[in-house]
Amino acid sequence: MNLASRTISAALAAAASLLLSTAAYADISIFGPGGPTPAMKEAAEAFKQESGIAVTVTAGPSSKWMEAAKTEADAIYSGSQNMMDDFIAEHGTILADTVEPLFLRPSAILVRKGNPEGITGIRDLVARDLGLMVVDGAGQVGMWEDIVGRMRDVAAMKAFRANIDHLAPNSGAARDTWKTDESLDAWLIWNHWQIDNAELADMVPTEPELTIYRDTSIARTEKGRDNEEVTGFIDFLNSDAGVEIFARHGWQKSFDEAGQGSAKDGAKDTDAAKSDQDQEEQAAQ
């Protein structure tokens, strides 16, 4: 082989090696709403540090990213099951059978710093005419109704509705309104909006018997169907490291009746307990 041939062969080998290296560490693109994003971005950065694989997280109202997601997204995450269903219908290539619920978070009431009105919970917001904001769109469609409905009293539903001063279309818009409208005393939302914006508000838990929980899920797109990097990232989200990151932002795998979170999957715990019980019964026979 002459020098020119050897030079060409070396160049081709280098190019092939570069392509293989790039394919082995291809970036992942995921899209989703604002609520889970602080935790998702922290997890993405931790995953990059561990694996060398970058995860680009694009977030906000879906109207701002859906068109790009149709061609760029390897996976989509949501702020509730109804939101994921909307994404599946609008996006077109989200694989419905890959939807995986990841974490739950509880409803909560955000109040002004120091809670100057002394707000104690949902029943207080039913009884008192305070400046009240709720979100009635995105991942919170029907949220306030579900919470107040747990009081099992139509008079409470009527009173709460009459006390609503502002209906926000999504959580980001609600945050903007909270910043500028000082007449608002209470904002019914998810707990992580206070955790991730602690300078804006304090938090009052909704009563345990009235609290509702919704999840963040992730689903692959056709583009990300067989992407091993996507598999690795989803595995990381479910790992101890991923669970710890989301817990810092108020998300948990399960909650007990008092509203205390757990890093464990409650359904799996139940199955494990049943298995232990079965084994004990078999041993006793």
Side-chain angles (χ1 to χ4, degrees):
M1 182 182 292
N2 60 32
L3 179 60
S5 298
R6 288 198 299 271
T7 300
I8 293 172
S9 297
L12 289 172
S17 176
L18 178 60
L19 286 172
L20 288 171
S21 175
T22 301
Y25 296 99
D27 290 354
I28 303 167
S29 292
I30 66 173
F31 293 72
T37 295
M40 195 66 75
K41 284 189 172 181
E42 186 177 339
E45 181 59 31
F47 178 70
K48 180 181 178 181
Q49 294 298 319
E50 179 181 284
S51 68
I53 302 167
V55 181
T56 301
V57 181
T58 302
S62 60
S63 60
K64 295 185 176 181
W65 52 255
M66 184 57 73
E67 286 306 310
K70 289 178 180 179
T71 57
E72 299 173 16
D74 296 297
I76 303 284
Y77 62 93
S78 68
S80 68
Q81 288 295 316
N82 72 282
M83 180 186 285
M84 180 60 82
D85 290 339
D86 289 343
F87 289 168
I88 290 170
E90 186 175 359
H91 184 275
T93 68
I94 295 174
L95 305 175
D97 60 353
T98 69
V99 175
E100 180 174 352
L102 295 169
F103 301 97
L104 296 167
R105 82 296 210 189
S107 55
I109 302 164
L110 272 60
V111 299
R112 296 298 176 182
K113 298 294 289 184
N115 193 8
E117 294 294 337
I119 295 166
T120 59
I122 293 296
R123 288 183 171 84
D124 202 17
L125 297 180
V126 169
R128 300 167 62 192
D129 186 10
L130 299 167
L132 173 61
M133 176 169 61
V134 303
V135 180
D136 199 22
Q140 293 168 79
V141 172
M143 175 188 175
W144 74 262
E145 181 181 2
D146 286 347
I147 293 170
V148 178
R150 292 189 169 200
M151 294 177 68
R152 303 188 299 276
D153 183 351
V154 74
M157 189 73 70
K158 181 178 180 180
F160 190 93
R161 182 178 180 85
N163 289 342
I164 296 173
D165 295 289
H166 186 78
L167 282 167
N170 57 61
S171 301
R175 180 177 55 187
D176 293 341
T177 299
W178 182 259
K179 289 179 180 179
T180 58
D181 188 348
E182 296 183 358
S183 71
L184 296 172
D185 304 303
W187 170 17
L188 182 59
I189 187 106
W190 304 115
N191 66 330
H192 58 84
W193 282 93
Q194 190 277 330
I195 295 169
D196 294 328
N197 299 273
E199 74 284 359
L200 294 182
D202 287 343
M203 179 166 55
V204 175
T206 52
E207 295 90 326
E209 70 275 15
L210 303 182
T211 298
I212 67 166
Y213 302 83
R214 291 184 185 169
D215 75 313
T216 181
S217 292
I218 193 165
R220 296 170 184 263
T221 64
E222 188 63 47
K223 178 175 180 285
R225 176 194 289 272
D226 299 316
N227 188 318
E228 290 302 317
E229 284 78 16
V230 174
T231 300
F233 181 59
I234 294 174
D235 287 346
F236 178 82
L237 294 176
N238 284 311
S239 71
D240 290 346
V243 168
E244 182 179 342
I245 289 168
F246 271 79
R248 287 199 292 268
H249 294 267
W251 301 81
Q252 299 283 356
K253 287 292 186 182
S254 63
F255 290 83
D256 63 20
E257 291 183 359
Q260 297 300 307
S262 172
K264 296 181 179 179
D265 184 324
K268 291 180 180 178
D269 289 347
T270 301
D271 290 343
K274 186 177 185 302
S275 176
D276 291 343
Q277 183 180 359
D278 290 343
Q279 290 177 11
E280 289 174 2
E281 291 175 351
Q282 290 173 4
Q285 291 175 355

